[in-house]
């Protein structure tokens, strides 16, 4: 794993240089983190077998992969800033899962978690991402939106289009583990960079601790405001600590590009608009992301990224692209067709209600988005959504005319 | 005995690389005891400390940072992770204890008195008014860390030791232990109808302090065959011990409470794990509000007229009592029935606190009877106890 850490070390050396120019709080400290890769041992007073969790009633990816042997091997290891296996798996121990929904059951506290706990995270990643093997495979990143074709949907069917992802700032711990100072540093770095956006991306930051009542109401009306997490999947992982300190929302004046700061990830980036112009949504998405990346690099920072995992985020389910591209689409006839699930499966799409994950569809309007995150690039995933949604609209049109529809062939097996 | 919990001991050292002003929490909108005491200077002074088991200042205060509090209810806002927390973080906890417990000073000594014979009366509360009587406390087992901090291995060790002790009791205390994670549906139903079953904590005051981790592993309930003596294992404290029965014979309830506690303590001592206690703080528990006796002795009592009297709250204050609805803390009273219990925990003994309940409830029932007859009660209002 030396190659990943050399990338970290080189960025920190850059940060070290920039400190003299007037860098930030943590830059000087980060020079001292040379011992990455040598995880500090944890002293235990109970043997691993006494601390091994009871996972017999659990149904999540962590429970499927965490054997007593793996627990014993990893339980006395910690990342350089002291994040341990017990901390990483706590959310999965506390939330046994649902018989029908298989949650991941584990988070990363920092970039190094994915290395130090790879004996557990690699099989979890493989299970969650259709056989993608982080120890042997490479993840492609492609943010060239010009490659998308046929990405402008019939607005009689597609009501809105949206693309979201997350980005983490390298060198700072992730939401489950970050200290208050680190979280505030993430906010400073990101807000500083966003202030450098211009033109159609010109916008403003609203800190959760300082927004006025008027601003809060406006953000609620725009459906932009995020709340303190209530899901125990997140709270048991420690992501709601110190709320609402250093949390906030940035959006452009046109309200088509939105960044959440310090919610479940360092940043969540969202591009959206009404109607079916997914290509334009993705163009803005890519432009905004690349511009923000350039702005943080000017200041000596970079995003967490590596060849085997792509963009590194808190939840292993969001590795790779971290991308969910979707539409709200009216498919009243197709929604009643028993073949819909199979069609979606074969198109590598998932449906949700328009209230988000776990809500039901209302009036035949679905949220349709990509299933995959890792092992395929952003362009590939968005094109998959574009092709799939066009296919679904064709089906709906055929059903309107009383014609029959076909279930598309399943895709070729990706990674097995 | 000190134990090192399997958490990242290096994590606190890592935080020290950041400046105090960058790590100090924003407590400007907070209203709890911790927030009133913890200045940036104090934070800077003690943040590099850890207890022998690795509990840190940020661990102590996390619940208070995450729960700013209510404008009218003053929560404590900090917890102990082990016995040593009260020593290592005394610059914070002593003033919090003083604020919470009526000015209790670091040099004060706490009196423990579990001799039920020292209680006067208490066997004649009118059962037409007093529906049930109950005394509870908590106990921590020396040598183990507390619920906010303990690992699964340690919690299981606490459970194992507790079950051995509790199931060896005999006589009126003979009973059975029901582990939360393996009770049958029928057992669960029965415990619910007996109002014995405790749930996974949902209050963020507890969850933000880490007390619900790994639920329901290592948790359970023991009760005697008569259903008058009950012990919760590994909920908010290592042990919560409850004696209760219908009606107003608080004397009997308190006797059972004292005898049961002393029997349990003897067994733990034989295993070289007595209870956490010292002469300054009395019995050591997770929440600073429960130090001293950790005792809440109370009754469910019908006071429909007195409770609507203008001086009701003042009477309670003077009697050193507090009211709650019959659903517990922060619930409303239903049908004029209140849960009335002692307000104090630290600085007075178990006998003294239960005496206040017995005397105070007796007086209030007499007041209620007077009000029923349309008579005034002004002459009966007591001086501040």
């Amino acid at each position: 794993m030396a190659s990943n850490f050399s990338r970290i070390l080189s960025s920190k050396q850059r940060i070290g240089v920039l400190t003299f120019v007037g860098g930030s709080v943590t830059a000087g400290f980060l020079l001292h983190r040379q011992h990455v890769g040598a995880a500090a041992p944890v002293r235990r007073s109970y043997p691993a077998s006494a601390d091994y969790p009871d996972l017999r009633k659990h149904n999540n990816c962590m429970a499927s992969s965490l054997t007593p042997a793996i627990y014993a091997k990893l339980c006395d290891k910690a990342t350089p800033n002291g994040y341990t296996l017990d901390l990483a798996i706590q959310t999965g121990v506390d939330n046994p899962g649902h018989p029908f929904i298989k949650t991941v059951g584990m988070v990363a506290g920092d970039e190094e978690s994915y290395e130090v706990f790879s004996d557990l995270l690699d099989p979890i990643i493989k299970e969650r991402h259709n056989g993608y093997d982080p120890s042997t495979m490479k993840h492609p990143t492609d943010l060239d939106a010009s490659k998308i074709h046929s990405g402008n949907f019939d607005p009689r069917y597609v009501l809105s289009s949206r693309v979201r992802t997350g980005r983490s700032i390298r060198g700072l711990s992730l939401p489950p583990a970050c200290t208050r100072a680190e979280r505030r540093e993430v906010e400073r770095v990101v807000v500083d960079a966003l202030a450098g956006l211009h033109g159609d991306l010109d916008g403003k930051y609203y800190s959760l601790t300082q927004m006025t009542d008027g601003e809060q109401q406006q953000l609620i009306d725009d459906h932009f405001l995020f709340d303190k997490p209530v899901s125990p999947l997140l709270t048991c992982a420690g992501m709601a600590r110190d709320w609402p300190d250093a949390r906030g929302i940035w959006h452009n004046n046109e309200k088509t590009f939105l960044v959440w700061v310090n919610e479940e990830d360092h940043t969540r980036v969202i591009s959206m608009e009404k109607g079916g112009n997914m290509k334009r949504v993705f163009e803005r998405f890519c432009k905004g992301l690349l511009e923000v990346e350039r702005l943080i690099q000017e200041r000596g920072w970079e995003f967490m990224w590596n060849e085997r995992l792509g963009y590194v985020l808190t939840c292993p389910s969001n590795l790779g692209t971290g991308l969910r591209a979707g539409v709200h689409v009216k498919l009243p006839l197709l929604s009643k067709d028993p073949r819909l699930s199979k069609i979606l499966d074969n198109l590598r799409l998932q449906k949700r209600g328009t209230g988000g994950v776990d809500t039901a569809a209302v009036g035949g309007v679905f949220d349709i988005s990509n299933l995959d995150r890792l092992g395929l690039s952003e362009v590939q995933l968005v094109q998959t959504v574009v092709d799939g949604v066009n296919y679904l609209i064709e089906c709906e049109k055929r059903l309107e005319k009383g014609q029959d529809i076909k279930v598309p062939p399943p895709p070729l097996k990706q990674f097995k | 005995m000190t134990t090192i919990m399997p958490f990242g001991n290096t994590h606190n050292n890592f935080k020290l690389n950041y400046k105090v002003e960058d790590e100090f929490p924003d407590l400007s909108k907070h209203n709890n005891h911790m927030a009133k005491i913890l200045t940036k200077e104090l934070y800077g002074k003690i943040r590099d400390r850890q207890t022998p088991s690795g509990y840190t200042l940020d661990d102590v205060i996390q619940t208070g940072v995450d729960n700013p509090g209510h404008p009218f209810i003053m929560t404590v806002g900090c917890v102990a992770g082990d016995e040593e927390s009260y020593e290592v973080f005394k610059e914070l906890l002593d003033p919090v204890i003083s604020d919470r417990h009526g000015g209790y000073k670091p040099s004060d000594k706490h009196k423990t008195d579990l001799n039920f014979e020292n209680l006067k009366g208490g066997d004649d509360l009118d059962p037409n008014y007093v529906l049930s009587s109950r005394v509870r406390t908590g106990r921590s087992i020396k040598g183990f860390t507390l619920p906010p901090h303990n690992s699964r291995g340690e919690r299981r060790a606490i459970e194992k030791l507790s079950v051995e002790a509790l199931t060896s009791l005999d006589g009126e205390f003979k009973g059975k232990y029901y582990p939360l994670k393996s009770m049958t549906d029928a057992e669960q139903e029965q415990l619910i109808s007996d109002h014995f079953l405790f749930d996974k904590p949902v209050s963020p005051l507890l969850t933000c302090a880490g007390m619900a981790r790994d639920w329901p592993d290592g948790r359970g309930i023991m009760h005697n065959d008569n259903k008058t003596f009950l012990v919760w294992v590994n909920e908010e404290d290592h042990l919560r011990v409850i004696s209760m029965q219908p009606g107003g014979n608080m004397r009997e309830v308190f006797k059972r409470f004292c005898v049961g506690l002393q029997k349990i303590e003897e067994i733990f001592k034989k295993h070289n794990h007595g209870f956490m206690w010292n002469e300054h703080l009395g019995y050591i528990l997770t929440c600073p509000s429960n130090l001293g006796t950790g005792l809440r002795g109370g009754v469910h009592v019908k006071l429909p007229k007195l409770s609507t009297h203008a001086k009701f709250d003042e009477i309670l204050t003077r009697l050193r009592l507090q009211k709650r609805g019959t659903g517990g803390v922060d619930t409303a009273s239903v049908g004029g029935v209140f849960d009335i219990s002692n307000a104090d925990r630290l600085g007075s003994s178990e006998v003294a606190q239960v005496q206040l309940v017995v005397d105070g409830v007796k007086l209030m029932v007499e007041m209620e009877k007077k009000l029923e007859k349309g008579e005034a009660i002004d002459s009966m209002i007591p001086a501040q106890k």
Side-chain angles (χ1 to χ4, degrees):
Chain A
M1 298 292 121
S3 58
N4 301 305
F5 291 114
S6 62
R7 192 179 158 97
I8 296 171
L9 285 172
S10 66
S11 73
K12 290 191 171 87
Q13 282 152 15
R14 255 191 291 148
I15 290 166
V17 167
L18 283 165
T19 311
F20 298 116
V21 178
S24 67
V25 164
T26 56
F29 153 65
L30 288 169
L31 277 178
H32 301 298
R33 277 176 67 175
Q34 298 298 321
H35 56 296
V36 291
V42 172
R43 288 172 289 167
R44 305 183 69 85
S45 49
Y46 289 85
S49 55
D51 275 319
Y52 180 71
D54 182 350
L55 301 170
R56 289 173 294 173
K57 292 191 180 126
H58 286 60
N59 184 45
N60 56 51
C61 296
M62 179 278 291
S64 300
S65 287
L66 186 64
T67 61
I70 292 179
Y71 184 79
K73 183 177 177 194
L74 299 179
C75 67
D76 59 359
K77 299 196 179 359
T79 66
N81 78 1
Y83 196 69
T84 63
L85 179 71
D86 281 330
L87 292 169
I89 65 172
Q90 190 68 61
T91 179
V93 176
D94 289 346
N95 297 289
H98 191 276
F100 307 131
I101 302 166
K102 197 160 186 185
T103 45
V104 175
M106 179 170 181
V107 292
D110 47 28
E111 189 166 6
E112 293 83 347
S113 296
Y114 285 103
E115 309 299 325
V116 174
F117 308 120
S118 61
D119 284 321
L120 177 58
L121 278 161
D122 282 2
I124 288 175
I125 289 166
K126 201 166 174 188
E127 180 185 349
R128 180 60 178 223
H129 295 283
N130 307 302
Y132 182 86
D133 186 348
S135 61
T136 58
M137 296 176 184
K138 294 205 199 318
H139 169 80
T141 292
D142 186 353
L143 286 161
D144 180 358
S146 67
K147 295 178 182 163
I148 300 297
H149 59 83
S150 319
N152 200 346
F153 304 119
D154 188 333
R156 289 174 298 168
Y157 296 88
V158 175
L159 307 176
S160 61
S161 307
R162 181 184 187 266
V163 182
R164 71 86 160 148
T165 189
R167 290 289 185 265
S168 309
I169 308 295
R170 173 161 282 157
L172 295 167
S173 306
L174 296 170
C178 62
T179 73
R180 279 181 292 272
E182 285 185 300
R183 199 185 294 110
R184 291 164 179 173
E185 186 70 359
V186 168
E187 187 187 36
R188 265 195 290 270
V189 169
V190 172
V191 171
D192 195 38
L194 292 169
L197 294 174
H198 302 302
D200 64 327
L201 293 177
D202 196 30
K204 188 177 164 186
Y205 181 67
Y206 302 86
S207 140
L208 249 57
T209 51
Q210 287 157 27
M211 65 174 62
T212 66
D213 287 344
E215 288 168 341
Q216 184 172 313
Q217 195 52 55
Q218 187 59 53
L219 288 166
I220 290 172
D221 296 337
D222 291 327
H223 303 288
F224 284 173
L225 191 64
F226 61 89
D227 258 327
K228 181 170 174 174
V230 292
S231 163
L233 298 176
L234 299 180
T235 56
C236 292
M239 297 193 225
R241 285 171 305 126
D242 313 313
W243 202 275
D245 197 308
R247 273 85 167 190
I249 293 161
W250 181 97
H251 70 78
N252 65 348
N253 300 332
E254 295 176 13
K255 298 186 183 180
T256 54
F257 192 73
L258 170 65
V259 178
W260 292 349
V261 179
N262 284 320
E263 194 236 10
E264 183 184 337
D265 279 294
H266 285 174
T267 66
R268 282 289 178 96
V269 178
I270 301 150
S271 171
M272 59 210 236
E273 54 182 71
K274 295 236 181 292
N277 199 337
M278 177 62 92
K279 182 166 168 127
R280 188 166 63 200
V281 168
F282 187 55
E283 277 168 351
R284 185 183 315 113
F285 176 84
C286 295
K287 175 176 146 188
L289 276 173
L290 292 167
E291 191 53 16
V292 171
E293 184 160 25
R294 190 187 64 76
L295 288 161
I296 66 168
Q297 281 171 342
E298 265 177 11
R299 292 153 176 82
W301 297 91
E302 57 187 13
F303 291 142
M304 287 184 199
W305 180 94
N306 64 57
E307 275 191 321
R308 57 176 204 116
L309 298 175
Y311 288 101
V312 175
L313 294 177
T314 303
C315 181
S317 69
N318 281 320
L319 290 166
T321 60
L323 184 140
R324 192 171 93 86
V327 297
H328 285 186
V329 57
K330 275 195 293 205
L331 303 167
L333 296 173
L334 190 55
S335 70
K336 299 191 196 107
D337 194 303
R339 292 169 287 184
L340 177 59
S341 285
K342 190 85 185 117
I343 293 171
L344 290 171
D345 274 350
N346 288 355
L347 292 172
R348 300 299 304 159
L349 297 176
Q350 65 173 201
K351 71 181 197 294
R352 302 178 181 189
T354 52
V357 74
D358 290 335
T359 63
V362 175
V365 181
F366 289 95
D367 176 313
I368 302 285
S369 64
N370 53 297
L371 271 170
D372 304 312
R373 303 271 185 275
L374 173 65
L376 295 157
S377 74
E378 290 81 354
V379 164
Q380 285 172 305
L381 291 176
V382 172
Q383 192 62 58
T384 300
V385 173
V386 164
D387 295 345
V389 171
N390 280 328
Y391 190 94
L392 294 170
I393 293 171
E394 274 316 300
C395 287
E396 186 71 15
K397 285 176 173 170
R398 288 178 72 87
L399 290 172
E400 282 168 12
K401 293 186 218 144
Q403 293 167 352
D404 196 19
I405 58 172
K406 274 212 265 283
V407 174
L412 297 164
K413 290 241 180 220
Q414 220 85 50
F415 311 122
K416 293 191 204 230
Chain B
M1 171 181 153
T2 62
T3 55
I4 310 292
M5 286 297 106
F7 304 136
N9 320 16
T10 53
H11 189 62
N12 204 47
N13 298 338
F14 165 75
K15 275 186 220 176
L16 295 175
N17 288 300
Y18 294 94
K19 297 201 211 109
V20 174
E21 47 266 29
D22 289 324
E23 282 295 348
F24 183 64
D26 179 354
L27 300 172
S28 52
K29 294 191 179 119
H30 286 59
N31 185 48
N32 57 52
H33 286 298
M34 178 279 291
K36 298 280 174 230
I37 304 290
L38 188 67
T39 60
K40 191 161 59 143
E41 291 64 43
L42 179 56
Y43 183 81
K45 183 174 170 201
I46 64 180
R47 70 171 181 142
D48 61 343
R49 299 182 192 167
Q50 294 185 43
T51 66
S53 76
Y55 205 63
T56 67
L57 178 63
D58 278 336
D59 293 327
V60 170
I61 66 173
Q62 190 67 57
T63 180
V65 175
D66 289 345
N67 296 291
H70 192 276
F72 307 131
I73 302 165
M74 190 80 158
T75 46
V76 176
C78 51
V79 291
D82 49 23
E83 188 166 9
E84 293 85 350
S85 297
Y86 286 103
E87 192 52 42
V88 172
F89 301 112
K90 64 192 313 171
E91 284 94 330
L92 170 65
L93 291 172
D94 278 351
V96 166
I97 288 167
S98 179
D99 279 356
R100 178 59 177 223
H101 295 282
Y104 195 77
K105 297 190 292 296
S107 53
D108 285 337
K109 304 257 182 285
H110 171 82
K111 181 163 186 246
T112 292
D113 183 358
L114 283 161
N115 188 345
F116 63 90
E117 281 169 13
N118 290 340
L119 182 71
K120 299 189 194 34
D123 54 354
D124 60 351
L125 297 174
D126 189 336
N128 293 311
Y129 294 83
V130 179
L131 307 176
S132 62
S133 306
R134 181 183 188 266
V135 181
R136 69 88 157 148
T137 189
R139 290 290 185 264
S140 307
I141 303 167
K142 205 166 169 67
F144 293 103
T145 61
L146 297 171
H149 192 40
N150 52 28
S151 69
R152 285 178 293 273
E154 187 159 63
R155 199 184 298 112
R156 290 163 179 170
I158 292 162
E159 185 191 31
K160 182 158 185 280
L161 189 58
S162 301
V163 171
E164 261 178 55
L166 297 170
T167 54
S168 71
L169 295 170
D170 59 6
E172 66 168 322
F173 300 105
K174 184 164 172 309
K176 188 178 165 186
Y177 180 72
Y178 303 86
L180 249 56
K181 71 175 176 180
S182 54
M183 64 176 61
T184 65
D185 286 345
E187 287 168 342
Q188 187 171 309
E189 273 311 306
Q190 188 58 55
L191 287 165
I192 290 173
S193 13
D194 291 329
H195 302 290
F196 285 173
L197 190 64
F198 62 90
D199 257 329
K200 181 170 174 173
V202 292
S203 163
L205 299 174
L206 299 180
T207 56
C208 293
M211 296 193 227
R213 287 172 302 124
D214 315 312
W215 203 273
D217 197 311
R219 277 87 168 187
I221 294 164
M222 174 270 176
H223 71 77
N224 65 353
D225 297 334
N226 300 336
K227 296 186 183 178
T228 54
F229 190 77
L230 170 64
V231 180
W232 292 350
V233 178
N234 284 321
E235 194 234 11
E236 184 184 336
D237 281 294
H238 288 168
L239 304 171
R240 281 289 176 99
V241 179
I242 302 153
S243 170
M244 59 206 239
Q245 67 194 52
N249 195 341
M250 180 61 95
R251 188 179 182 81
E252 199 169 77
V253 168
F254 187 55
K255 177 179 173 183
R256 186 183 312 114
F257 175 81
C258 294
V259 172
L261 270 174
Q262 280 159 345
K263 281 185 191 289
I264 295 171
E265 180 157 22
E266 266 164 47
I267 303 172
F268 275 101
K269 276 193 182 143
K270 283 210 197 90
H271 286 90
N272 290 317
H273 281 286
F275 293 146
M276 286 184 201
W277 179 93
N278 67 50
E279 60 172 10
H280 167 50
L281 296 177
Y283 287 101
I284 305 286
L285 294 177
T286 301
C287 182
S289 69
N290 281 320
L291 291 165
T293 61
L295 186 143
R296 194 172 91 82
V299 298
H300 283 186
V301 57
K302 279 196 286 207
L303 299 169
K305 291 197 156 22
L306 182 61
S307 60
T308 55
H309 191 284
K311 293 241 162 80
F312 183 51
D313 283 340
E314 187 175 337
I315 291 168
L316 287 170
T317 305
R318 291 189 184 197
L319 291 172
R320 310 200 66 80
L321 300 176
Q322 64 174 203
K323 69 179 197 273
R324 302 179 183 191
T326 52
V329 74
D330 291 335
T331 62
S333 125
V334 175
V337 180
F338 283 86
D339 177 314
I340 302 289
S341 63
N342 55 299
D344 304 318
R345 303 274 185 274
L346 177 63
S348 54
S349 74
E350 289 81 353
V351 166
Q353 288 167 9
V354 175
Q355 192 70 63
L356 284 169
V357 175
V358 157
D359 295 346
V361 169
K362 192 162 181 188
L363 177 63
M364 290 197 290
V365 168
E366 278 163 35
M367 287 176 168
E368 181 74 16
K369 288 173 176 172
K370 277 246 187 229
L371 290 171
E372 281 170 15
K373 290 188 228 151
E375 293 169 17
I377 55 163
D378 299 310
S379 58
M380 297 170 78
I381 293 176
Q384 177 67 54
K385 296 224 175 282

